[in-house]
């Protein structure tokens, strides 16, 4: 009787346990763990399947047979200009900091090795690196094989992004990797020698720059529409495409990572140049480029001497960064007049023209035949003729805050606030990752970096999307740490 009772009780226990387990919902891994798994799957695909010699381009067809940077990329070619190799390398570093998983650090080192191969003899980088010694874009690499041009460029954040990545990787490696440390040091030295005594930088350099006379910016006293076109415009003082902001970030990193006081001096000189480069009334903003007499000057055939809506906003943001570091109020003085002028120059849709004609302040464009015009109805499509103006309100608010609490702003003010990623955003990123570890994008007709010739709705893999999503997942994982 006792054995029969025990058997009945045992069967009942087993039945109730099985029923309870069948009714229970499967337990999903915590979101932070899901994020870490997705990070590893996406990064493994990108590092193991997408990379060429450790480097990357902008876009890939789903079968990885077609690759695009600024135009179609050769099978042996990678891109330096963002969102190319340095951007992907920085995303790996962000993932490493969030997880301490050595896989990401090794992936970042592979990206650095690709950049070190393509570092020019002049110290910086050009927009792409070709591992084929006979390739069409080969250049004078310090360590790699190739003959050709030796022009290090600051255009489109090329040398700046590569150098910043190497400096941050050098720090993550505790300065023990000799190749990374030497390449970062050589590039930093070359950048400092490329700064003019007036504080400006050229668009490109092949060696140390020559001294030039110092002057305050002024309007040209000649017919700028037809005169003073210079073939090698890249040797002049340049603000093009956010150059000042990107260079200032490099110099700030040089101060923070290496305690290099020369970078601080270079930062102050850059600020002093921006003070000189502010144009007089009635247009107290900045041009895209200046000659050695500090007149706005031609660059490419579609970049006339003019006040620039894009570069002016970058100049204002750079001055604020320099003030935060130095505490010197002179770097804030140009801001009120410049912001007032730019706000008054907004187009009916709220944007700014890329160019405003000198003195008249009329928006300035080019026809598809590259003739100057005030009409935007027939402009070349490869260039951004209008830019957003939303930064102006933020600049104005920041200026008011800094002015109300004057005094030196320490380096601590530059530290990035933790990026917050909502759970909804996290789930959206996780849901879009396919079983191969890809985030697949589709062309919808918007203007894209490099102007790839995608067909309508053509699917592709984007380095920019990979970086954004990997960094967002990393930020979430980091936020969940005790």
């Amino acid at each position: 009787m006792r054995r029969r009772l025990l058997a009945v009780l045992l069967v009942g226990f087993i039945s109730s346990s099985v029923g309870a387990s069948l009714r229970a919902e499967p337990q999903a891994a915590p979101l932070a763990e899901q994020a870490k798994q997705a990070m590893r799957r996406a990064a493994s695909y990108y590092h193991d399947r997408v990379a060429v010699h450790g480097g990357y381009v902008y876009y890939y067809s789903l079968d990885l047979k077609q690759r695009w940077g600024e135009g179609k990329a050769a099978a042996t070619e990678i891109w330096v200009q963002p969102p190319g190799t340095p951007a992907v390398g920085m995303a790996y570093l962000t993932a490493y900091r969030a997880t301490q998983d050595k896989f990401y650090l090794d992936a970042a080192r592979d990206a650095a090795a690709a950049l070190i191969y393509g570092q020019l003899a002049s110290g910086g980088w050009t927009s792409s690196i070709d591992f084929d010694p006979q390739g069409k874009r080969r250049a004078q690499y310090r360590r790699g094989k190739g003959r050709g041009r030796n022009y290090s460029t600051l255009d489109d954040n090329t040398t700046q992004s590569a150098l910043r990545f190497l400096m941050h990787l050098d720090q993550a490696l505790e300065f023990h990797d000799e190749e990374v440390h030497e390449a970062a040091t050589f590039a930093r030295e070359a950048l400092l020698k490329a700064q003019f005594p007036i504080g400006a930088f050229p668009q490109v350099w092949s060696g140390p720059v020559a001294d030039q006379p110092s002057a305050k910016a002024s309007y040209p006293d000649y017919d700028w529409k037809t005169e003073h076109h210079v073939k090698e415009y890249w040797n002049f003082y340049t603000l093009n495409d956010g150059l000042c902001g990107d260079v200032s970030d490099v110099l700030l990193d040089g101060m923070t990572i290496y305690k290099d006081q020369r970078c601080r001096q270079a930062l102050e000189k850059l600020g002093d140049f921006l003070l000189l480069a502010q144009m007089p009334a009635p247009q107290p903003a900045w041009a895209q480029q200046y000659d050695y007499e500090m007149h706005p000057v031609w660059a490419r055939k579609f970049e006339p001497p003019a006040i620039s809506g894009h570069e002016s906003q970058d100049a204002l943001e750079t001055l604020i960064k320099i003030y935060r570091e130095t505490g010197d109020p002179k770097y804030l003085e140009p801001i009120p007049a410049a912001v007032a002028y730019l706000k008054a120059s907004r187009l009916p849709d709220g944007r700014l023209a890329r160019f405003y004609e000198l003195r008249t302040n009329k928006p300035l464009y080019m026809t598809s035949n590259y003739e100057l015009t005030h009409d935007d109805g027939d402009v070349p499509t490869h260039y951004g003729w209008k830019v957003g103006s939303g930064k102006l309100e933020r600049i104005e608010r920041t200026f008011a805050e800094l002015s109300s609490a004057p005094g030196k702003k320490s380096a601590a003010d530059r530290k990035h606030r933790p990026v917050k990623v909502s759970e909804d955003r996290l789930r959206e990123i996780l849901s879009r990752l396919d079983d191969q570890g890809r985030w697949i994008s589709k062309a919808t007709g918007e203007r894209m970096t490099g102007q790839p010739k995608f067909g309508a709705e053509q699917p592709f893999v984007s380095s920019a999307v990979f970086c954004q999503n990997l960094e967002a997942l990393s930020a979430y994982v980091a936020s969940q740490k005790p």
Side-chain angles (χ1 to χ4, degrees):
M1 173 69 79
R2 186 178 297 167
R3 284 199 299 268
R4 224 163 83 187
L5 180 60
L6 287 171
V8 169
L9 291 171
L10 183 60
V11 169
F13 175 76
I14 293 171
S15 299
S16 64
S17 299
V18 170
S21 67
L22 288 174
R23 288 192 301 273
E25 292 291 328
Q27 285 290 327
L31 272 177
E33 186 59 35
Q34 292 181 50
K36 287 172 73 173
Q37 292 170 6
M39 288 167 61
R40 187 61 184 268
R41 191 159 81 249
S44 295
Y45 173 80
Y46 231 69
H47 175 264
D48 299 345
R49 299 277 306 279
V50 174
V52 169
H53 296 283
Y56 304 87
V57 296
Y58 300 172
Y59 310 107
Y60 302 83
S61 61
L62 298 191
D63 60 8
L64 303 180
K65 291 181 179 178
Q66 296 186 66
R67 307 161 72 251
W68 293 271
E70 290 279 339
K72 254 187 175 174
T76 55
E77 192 175 19
I78 64 170
W79 236 258
V80 181
Q81 181 178 321
T85 304
V88 177
M90 285 290 261
Y92 288 143
L93 267 186
T94 303
Y96 172 68
R97 293 190 186 106
T99 64
Q100 293 301 298
D101 185 341
K102 190 172 177 292
F103 168 81
Y104 300 110
L105 187 61
D106 290 340
R109 290 177 83 161
D110 288 342
L115 292 172
I116 292 169
Y117 177 98
Q119 186 178 22
L120 297 177
S122 52
W125 286 263
T126 188
S127 58
S128 67
I129 297 168
D130 198 333
F131 288 86
D132 179 359
Q134 305 303 319
K136 62 180 180 179
R137 289 193 178 97
R138 64 191 184 277
Q140 243 183 85
Y141 303 138
R142 289 182 68 211
R143 302 193 182 198
K145 298 177 181 178
R147 294 182 178 180
R149 293 187 173 185
N150 184 34
Y151 292 126
S152 296
T153 182
L154 295 171
D155 191 35
D156 289 326
N157 198 16
T158 298
T159 289
Q160 301 95 307
S161 64
L163 178 49
R164 289 195 75 204
F165 166 54
L166 289 181
M167 291 195 296
H168 281 270
L169 178 61
D170 195 17
Q171 184 181 44
L173 296 170
E174 299 180 341
F175 313 104
H176 291 157
D177 187 305
E178 290 184 8
E179 284 198 350
V180 171
H181 184 71
E182 192 277 337
T185 301
F186 189 84
R188 193 168 77 257
E189 297 282 347
L191 177 66
L192 292 172
K193 292 174 183 174
Q195 185 178 30
F196 290 99
I198 196 176
F201 286 87
Q203 190 175 78
V204 305
W205 79 85
S206 58
V209 297
D211 194 3
Q212 300 294 338
S214 178
K216 185 82 173 70
S218 61
Y219 292 99
D221 55 3
Y222 49 83
D223 184 359
W224 57 265
K225 292 182 180 180
T226 58
E227 296 180 48
H228 286 224
H229 288 256
V230 177
K231 182 179 180 182
E232 295 185 350
Y233 62 85
W234 47 81
N235 294 321
F236 284 146
Y237 308 148
T238 305
L239 280 70
N240 189 33
D241 286 332
L243 180 147
C244 292
D246 296 331
V247 168
S248 67
D249 289 337
V250 175
L251 298 174
L252 288 165
D253 281 345
M255 294 163 52
T256 304
I257 294 171
Y258 300 102
K259 314 302 180 189
D260 189 341
Q261 287 304 304
R262 296 172 306 162
C263 291
R264 180 187 179 87
Q265 294 162 7
L267 184 72
E268 292 178 5
K269 285 169 59 180
L270 175 60
D272 293 341
F273 165 72
L274 290 175
L275 299 182
L276 289 173
Q278 185 178 26
M279 293 293 289
Q283 297 171 295
W286 287 265
Q288 189 178 76
Q289 185 160 293
Y290 300 80
D291 63 17
Y292 299 136
E293 286 72 44
M294 289 293 279
H295 298 136
V297 67
W298 283 93
R300 291 174 289 187
K301 63 181 179 180
F302 48 86
E303 294 175 320
I307 304 300
S308 172
H310 177 69
E311 279 70 22
S312 291
Q313 293 179 86
D314 180 63
L316 289 167
E317 290 182 315
T318 303
L319 286 169
I320 287 173
K321 278 191 279 188
I322 297 171
Y323 169 76
R324 286 187 183 278
E325 181 56 39
T326 65
D328 191 330
K330 71 180 181 181
Y331 297 117
L332 296 182
E333 289 173 5
I335 293 176
V339 170
Y341 157 73
L342 290 167
K343 288 174 71 174
S345 300
R346 281 172 166 156
L347 302 171
D349 65 2
R351 290 185 291 173
L352 289 167
R354 182 65 179 263
F355 301 117
Y356 289 90
E357 188 173 62
L358 298 177
R359 290 196 172 93
T360 72
N361 209 49
K362 294 178 180 178
L364 198 57
Y365 306 100
M366 287 275 181
T367 67
S368 56
N369 294 324
Y370 297 100
E371 296 175 351
L372 287 167
T373 178
H374 300 300
D375 184 357
D376 64 350
D378 178 35
V379 297
T381 59
H382 62 78
Y383 196 69
W385 297 97
K386 298 177 182 179
V387 298
S389 68
K391 293 179 179 179
L392 293 177
E393 276 72 23
R394 185 171 70 246
I395 291 168
E396 197 169 37
R397 287 195 303 270
T398 303
F399 171 78
E401 292 167 5
L402 295 175
S403 299
S404 65
K408 183 174 180 179
K409 304 298 175 180
S410 70
D413 291 317
R414 296 200 319 270
K415 291 182 178 178
H416 295 297
R417 295 177 181 177
V419 176
K420 293 183 179 180
V421 179
S422 69
E423 291 190 358
D424 287 344
R425 170 66 177 147
L426 179 70
R427 289 190 174 94
E428 189 266 334
I429 292 172
L430 295 174
S431 69
R432 289 184 49 233
L433 187 68
D434 74 4
D435 56 1
Q436 292 188 50
R438 305 175 299 185
W439 285 290
I440 296 176
S441 303
K442 285 188 176 180
T444 57
E446 74 278 16
R447 192 170 182 271
M448 299 170 66
T449 304
Q451 312 276 334
K453 300 295 187 280
F454 292 144
E457 294 295 308
Q458 179 178 345
F460 61 93
V461 174
S462 163
S463 289
V465 170
F466 169 78
C467 294
Q468 291 163 7
N469 289 346
L470 185 63
E471 288 173 352
L473 294 175
S474 300
Y476 184 84
V477 169
S479 73
Q480 299 306 299
K481 291 180 179 179

